[in-house]
Amino acid sequence: MPADVTMDKIVSLCKRRGFIFPSSEIYGGLGSCWDYGPMGVELKRNVKNAWWRTIVQERDDVVGIDTSIMMHPAVWKASGHVDSFTDPLVECKSCHLRWRADEIENQKCPQCGGDLTEPRMFNLMFRTFMGPLEETASTVYLRPETAQGIFVNFENVVTTSRKKLPLGIAQIGKSFRNEITPGNFIFRTREFEHMELEYFVKPGTDDGWLDYWVKQRLDWYMSLGITKENLRLRQHGKDELAHYAKDCYDVEYLFPMGWSELEGIANRSDYDLTQHAKHSGKDLSYYDGQDGERYVPYVIEPSAGVDRSVLAFLVDSYHEEVVEGGNRVVLRLHPSLAPMKVAVLPLSRNERLSPLARDVYRRLCSSFMADYDDSQSIGRRYRRQDEIGTPFCVTVDFESLQDNQVTIRERDSLAQIRLPLEELDEALRAKLSGEAFDATTLWATREK
Ligand code: GAP
């Protein structure tokens, strides 16, 4: 991340270009809730698709699942969340702001310096009622992690998928936590999306699999363009491990507010399956036919936040540079994450150009997420596409009407090549999947 990338710049770009808006903005917004706009929804979906492709689609030892947000309340008792999913809460005796005790340095209110109350444990799960009666018996929770939906379906999946261990079950979905101190834009919110894998292994092989998944996950972020120097690993101290964890590593990213957790990769041991077996009365052990043994599997859990990943990809790709004496903001997003893969820009709104340009757009948008823009000067339109991270712009000009050729401009190098329309689809496909942009050809030009 370049030194001058501030959170304010990211928030401002996100608002300006339709990535992320404050939730319920016309009513003044709702603390820590955010809405994804037209560009944000594409970026977020691309992040989820990239994760699913790597974790599920390209592996034969992982299957997917999609479980409900509300689950039987006994799940959360068994999992330990009712008793242990808490943060220590303190309140300022003067201004009454509330803080997480473990984030306070000198035992004084960070806002006004006032004295704080003694810490009390605050459960982070949102509670609601199922059905028309608001009584204790109908209390349900909004899930704080998607993992439990996987554990309670372990037997269903093993039986129906006919797969053997090691076996992973993956899920992407919303989670909810009544965080005491949400903040830093979409870094910590009360409603967010998880991308979680529970990878079930034979006890005794768990340490090796933890190392394996830590490496896989680091590689994933780097394969999508995150700078290596902005990533690091941190092992949890014994005193900070979650109630279910035997060991855990955080993948940390250098966000504008400093190094912070991007993803957690935990060894959850046999804690969850054992707990659910105990509370439900169901035998959740696994018979290993190969070794002729029965055991309760251990679980390695890479657990990532979709929104936090989106933030990391935005921060890492954000660059400011001087082009033609002007300031250019560009998101150098990996092509597979970019909201728009290509933008079709007729040189002007001239009525002779529009039919061809529209035709090019119509042809491209059946293959790629494509944008069409004919307003304002071509320079301003390029800048807009740079700011939303569009890897390629296709310009239709008056010569195109004669020679049936168009110009492709590459976002990062600003190089341009000209090529026949019938080759456009194929050329874009190749370049989006990594083929070098050949700016050494005769037609290559460059914005200075
Ligand atoms: N199932 C294990 C689990 O949930 P976690 O470390 O609490 O572990 C995993 O969360 C990831 O989920 C975090 O690394 C982060 O990316 C994301 N996450 C957690 N709480 C979040 C919040 N309040 N807002 C946004 N993302 C959050």
Side-chain angles (χ1 to χ4, degrees):
M1 181 190 64
D4 54 356
V5 182
T6 62
M7 196 68 97
D8 283 350
K9 286 183 182 176
I10 299 291
V11 174
S12 156
L13 173 86
C14 284
K15 176 82 201 294
R16 188 167 76 244
R17 293 304 184 192
F19 281 91
I20 300 168
F21 310 122
S23 166
S24 328
E25 195 180 7
I26 58 169
Y27 289 99
L30 177 66
S32 99
C33 292
W34 300 91
D35 297 340
Y36 286 77
M39 293 305 122
V41 73
E42 297 300 333
L43 172 58
K44 191 180 186 194
R45 178 172 299 146
N46 292 340
V47 169
K48 290 190 277 186
N49 285 348
W51 186 88
W52 196 263
R53 196 164 50 244
T54 307
I55 298 288
V56 181
Q57 191 179 331
E58 292 175 358
R59 303 185 62 109
D60 63 1
D61 57 349
V62 178
V63 292
I65 197 167
D66 186 10
T67 69
S68 65
I69 286 172
M70 287 183 286
M71 303 175 71
H72 195 292
V75 168
W76 305 108
K77 189 73 191 150
S79 69
H81 283 82
V82 170
D83 298 323
S84 308
F85 194 59
T86 52
D87 275 340
L89 171 84
V90 288
E91 185 173 327
C92 174
K93 291 179 184 167
S94 305
C95 70
H96 300 289
L97 280 181
R98 289 173 175 176
W99 306 94
R100 255 175 72 173
D102 54 341
E103 289 178 348
I104 302 281
E105 270 169 16
N106 58 6
Q107 302 313 308
K108 294 284 179 198
C109 172
Q111 181 73 15
C112 73
D115 289 334
L116 300 170
T117 58
E118 285 299 306
R120 68 181 169 89
M121 294 319 271
F122 172 75
N123 195 293
L124 300 184
M125 282 196 295
F126 277 97
R127 255 168 297 182
T128 187
F129 302 100
M130 189 168 254
L133 288 181
E134 296 198 0
E135 56 183 16
T136 314
S138 58
T139 300
V140 290
Y141 301 95
L142 302 188
R143 68 181 177 198
E145 60 172 9
T146 67
Q148 297 305 324
I150 297 178
F151 296 130
V152 300
N153 277 291
F154 173 69
E155 207 197 359
N156 284 335
V157 175
V158 169
T159 315
T160 55
S161 68
R162 302 168 56 82
K163 294 209 180 255
K164 301 196 175 352
L165 260 55
L167 170 65
I169 307 177
Q171 168 152 237
I172 299 179
K174 288 264 184 180
S175 291
F176 302 83
R177 295 181 184 180
N178 202 359
E179 300 279 3
I180 299 170
T181 48
N184 281 317
F185 194 29
I186 53 170
F187 178 83
R188 184 175 287 122
T189 52
R190 294 188 171 116
E191 172 181 347
F192 61 96
E193 266 184 286
H194 257 135
M195 303 184 281
E196 300 202 289
L197 167 67
E198 307 304 321
Y199 195 75
F200 299 88
V201 304
K202 183 177 177 180
T205 65
D206 47 309
D207 291 338
W209 281 114
L210 181 62
D211 292 348
Y212 168 86
W213 278 108
V214 166
K215 180 169 180 331
Q216 292 294 310
R217 296 304 302 140
L218 278 172
D219 286 350
W220 184 77
Y221 288 106
M222 289 189 282
S223 75
L224 290 170
I226 297 269
T227 318
K228 191 176 178 191
E229 289 66 38
N230 292 338
L231 288 170
R232 73 178 189 193
L233 275 178
R234 192 180 68 79
Q235 188 175 19
H236 280 208
K238 290 276 172 258
D239 55 333
E240 62 174 321
L241 285 173
H243 61 273
Y244 48 72
K246 174 185 158 190
D247 196 0
C248 185
Y249 288 87
D250 281 350
V251 174
E252 294 190 334
Y253 178 73
L254 186 53
F255 287 99
M257 67 281 188
W259 288 101
S260 312
E261 177 186 340
L262 175 58
E263 164 163 356
I265 304 154
N267 181 345
R268 290 182 80 129
S269 69
D270 57 0
Y271 176 86
D272 300 274
L273 289 181
T274 303
Q275 284 293 102
H276 287 305
K278 201 160 88 191
H279 284 251
S280 68
K282 281 259 183 192
D283 178 7
L284 296 179
S285 63
Y286 169 81
Y287 181 69
D288 184 331
Q290 196 164 332
D291 294 354
E293 284 177 57
R294 179 168 285 283
Y295 51 76
V296 178
Y298 269 41
V299 176
I300 306 302
E301 178 197 62
S303 172
V306 177
D307 314 76
R308 219 173 267 190
S309 302
V310 165
L311 183 59
F313 287 120
L314 283 169
V315 169
D316 217 80
S317 63
Y318 183 98
H319 287 83
E320 286 174 4
E321 56 195 38
V322 176
V323 174
E324 291 173 351
N327 208 6
R328 158 171 117 128
V329 171
V330 55
L331 287 187
R332 296 189 196 279
L333 286 167
H334 188 280
S336 64
L337 299 183
M340 295 291 156
K341 310 302 175 197
V342 55
V344 178
L345 312 175
L347 193 64
S348 72
R349 260 195 183 151
N350 185 292
E351 59 187 23
R352 286 174 54 218
L353 287 182
S354 295
L356 179 62
R358 285 255 167 225
D359 187 50
V360 172
Y361 168 71
R362 256 191 307 275
R363 275 195 270 164
L364 288 179
C365 68
S366 63
S367 308
F368 312 101
M369 201 67 208
D371 198 7
Y372 182 88
D373 189 1
D374 63 1
S375 61
Q376 301 184 312
S377 73
I378 189 77
R380 291 178 85 127
R381 281 180 278 155
Y382 279 151
R383 296 293 170 261
R384 174 173 177 273
Q385 295 301 332
D386 289 342
E387 287 200 9
I388 62 173
T390 309
F392 297 104
C393 291
V394 171
T395 314
V396 178
D397 54 25
F398 290 100
E399 259 182 83
S400 309
L401 300 173
Q402 312 301 323
D403 63 6
N404 245 0
Q405 296 201 355
V406 288
T407 304
I408 310 183
R409 168 202 187 257
E410 195 197 28
R411 174 196 71 197
D412 294 345
S413 65
L414 295 174
Q416 303 193 359
I417 61 171
R418 209 165 159 82
L419 88 175
L421 261 176
E422 62 270 22
E423 291 172 24
L424 183 59
D425 197 278
E426 195 51 40
L428 282 172
R429 199 179 301 280
K431 290 181 200 317
L432 284 165
S433 56
E435 182 191 89
F437 194 81
D438 187 3
T440 58
T441 57
L442 267 186
W443 318 286
T445 59
R446 204 181 139 79
E447 286 173 60
K448 290 173 284 300

